[in-house]
Amino acid sequence: MRSIFFRIYSGILCAVILIGSGSVVGYRYWNEDRLSQYLLESSRGTLQLIGEGLARHQDERRAQWLALSQRVTSLQIELITSKQIPDDSIPLHNATGNTDWRLKVLDAEHRLLLHRPDPNKDEWIRVILKEAGINEQLMRGTQLLLLNELGRVPKAERGNVLKRLQSQFSYPLQWLKKADINTNYLQQRALARGDTVVDFFTLASGQRAIRTLAPIGNSGDFLQLGPLPLFDSFPRTLILLSGLLALGLLAIACFLLVKPLER
């Protein structure tokens, strides 16, 4: 009898260790994939704006545009050729089948992202991203780049340009009237001075998010970026589901171990 109970308890202990270890390893790889997707989607639109600026400028103005983009976004951007692209980087296909984006996982926190702005040129934007880099300065810089893009076209065409730009971003770009903006007194004063407002807040889902708001020239309207949900390494809903799954597997293992006692 002792040997039976010993085998049962040993089996339960092994099941706990195996299920726990499997859950931790599985969650680690799943979280790394989530982070890669988050960094790509959060920065894709910004890098496309920078790439479009590089494509339309030449020589000294091109260098000035690159330096300005680096300064306002805090992204450490390099321009490289295809020969400098790591062989183990993964091509990312878009809806048209183009592979103008490549990604490489450097470690648990950092991702190497590569983008070719002009498919007819052998030139790639190279930038290393991390979760902490999706921050206030990046959003402010993106806001400035977007306002610059809108300022390049006549007022009557800006709405259509914003719609085109929206297709490049994973978070909302909204043209708002003064009556539509949701701000407090201090934010209203900042907007009246022409400043960009950055707001961190909690979504209805409980996830933290960031948005920016800035006046569009002298039009009296405002451009809002976001909300952009911030990366959550331990989302409560998914952690709860993982825990329930682990408990279910443990219950099945215990049932299979105890079942022989019925004979």
Side-chain angles (χ1 to χ4, degrees):
M1 183 65 70
R2 288 183 178 178
S3 63
I4 293 176
F5 281 108
F6 176 76
R7 287 200 298 270
I8 291 174
Y9 291 137
S10 298
I12 292 175
L13 179 61
C14 290
V16 170
I17 294 173
L18 288 174
I19 293 173
S21 300
S23 299
V24 171
V25 172
Y27 179 79
R28 174 189 172 188
Y29 284 104
W30 171 75
N31 216 36
E32 285 186 0
D33 185 65
R34 283 181 63 233
L35 180 59
S36 296
Q37 190 66 24
Y38 170 78
L39 293 175
L40 171 64
E41 295 299 330
S42 300
S43 59
R44 184 196 292 265
T46 306
L47 291 176
Q48 283 189 264
L49 282 176
I50 295 172
E52 289 176 4
L54 289 171
R56 66 173 175 261
H57 289 109
Q58 301 294 328
D59 303 326
E60 185 178 350
R61 290 183 63 83
R62 198 167 187 267
Q64 292 173 348
W65 170 260
L66 181 61
L68 173 66
S69 301
Q70 290 176 311
R71 185 168 67 252
V72 299
T73 62
S74 74
L75 295 175
Q76 300 302 309
I77 300 170
E78 295 180 51
L79 299 179
I80 64 172
T81 64
S82 57
K83 294 181 179 180
Q84 298 170 280
I85 295 177
D87 294 333
D88 54 350
S89 62
I90 303 171
L92 306 174
H93 297 268
N94 60 19
T96 60
N98 293 328
T99 55
D100 297 331
W101 296 86
R102 300 184 72 94
L103 178 73
K104 178 182 178 181
V105 177
L106 299 179
D107 54 41
E109 298 181 356
H110 298 83
R111 304 293 185 271
L112 172 63
L113 187 60
L114 300 152
H115 171 51
R116 182 172 58 180
D118 186 348
N120 298 317
K121 294 181 62 177
D122 184 22
E123 182 178 73
W124 292 73
I125 292 175
R126 178 187 185 276
V127 61
I128 295 178
L129 300 171
K130 59 181 179 179
E131 178 191 346
I134 310 301
N135 54 22
E136 176 180 343
Q137 185 170 351
L138 177 63
M139 292 293 286
R140 282 182 182 273
T142 303
Q143 181 99 2
L144 181 61
L145 295 177
L146 281 167
L147 290 173
N148 175 75
E149 196 69 19
L150 293 176
R152 295 179 55 250
V153 299
K155 293 182 179 180
E157 299 178 16
R158 291 177 182 176
N160 292 331
V161 171
L162 188 62
K163 289 180 181 179
R164 177 184 66 82
L165 293 171
Q166 177 64 83
S167 65
Q168 302 176 7
F169 285 80
S170 63
Y171 51 86
L173 310 178
Q174 300 181 70
W175 186 306
L176 300 176
K177 300 293 184 180
K178 186 174 183 179
D180 298 327
I181 63 174
N182 182 19
T183 53
N184 57 36
Y185 173 71
L186 293 178
Q187 291 171 339
Q188 290 173 8
R189 292 188 60 183
L191 291 173
R193 295 193 301 267
D195 296 338
T196 297
V197 169
V198 180
D199 188 20
F200 291 89
F201 61 100
T202 303
L203 298 171
S205 62
Q207 188 174 4
R208 295 289 291 169
I210 182 175
R211 68 162 183 163
T212 62
L213 193 65
I216 304 175
N218 298 320
S219 65
D221 298 334
F222 300 87
L223 177 64
Q224 176 175 294
L225 277 62
L228 168 63
L230 298 177
F231 186 75
D232 185 0
S233 299
F234 301 98
R236 288 176 293 180
T237 302
L238 295 175
I239 292 295
L240 179 61
L241 291 175
S242 299
L244 291 174
L245 178 61
L247 289 175
L249 292 174
L250 182 59
I252 293 173
C254 292
F255 172 77
L256 295 175
L257 289 169
V258 174
K259 188 176 181 179
L261 292 179
E262 298 177 358
R263 299 175 183 176

